[in-house]
Amino acid sequence: ITCVVGHILNTSFDQKPAGSRQVSPEAYFETPIVKSIETLSDKLRVVDHLRAEASGCSHLCLWLDCDREGENIGFEVISLVR
């Protein structure tokens, strides 16, 4: 049994969409997204810990908040331990 400290990954745009200084919101639908490890998660070595714990397991059981944030955090954990 282990836990996480909120979001593990940070999501940002790879770069500002091409165009003038003012960019229409629609341009962001085609802009690549980059995921990186959150500063706190990196400091606490959460990713290393999760991978170490999952290395000998055949099943993963998650108990998270029943809302969109909890669901997102769950998918972050799944993507990191696969």
Side-chain angles (χ1 to χ4, degrees):
I1 296 175
T2 190
C3 66
V4 296
V5 288
H7 284 281
I8 302 167
L9 300 176
N10 184 26
T11 306
S12 61
F13 291 107
D14 186 24
Q15 57 191 2
K16 190 173 181 178
S20 65
R21 293 175 73 127
Q22 290 186 338
V23 179
S24 69
E26 293 84 12
Y28 284 99
F29 285 103
E30 297 177 9
T31 303
I33 294 175
V34 175
K35 291 191 175 191
S36 58
I37 298 173
E38 286 275 352
T39 305
L40 181 60
S41 294
D42 192 30
K43 265 187 187 175
L44 297 176
R45 299 182 52 212
V46 172
V47 175
D48 295 336
H49 176 71
L50 289 173
R51 287 181 175 157
E53 290 294 314
S55 66
C57 297
S58 60
H59 291 80
L60 176 67
C61 181
L62 300 172
W63 187 279
L64 301 157
D65 292 346
C66 296
D67 58 14
R68 290 180 184 175
E69 292 297 315
E71 183 179 8
N72 189 13
I73 293 168
F75 280 108
E76 290 176 1
V77 171
I78 292 168
S79 72
L80 292 169
V81 299
R82 275 200 166 149

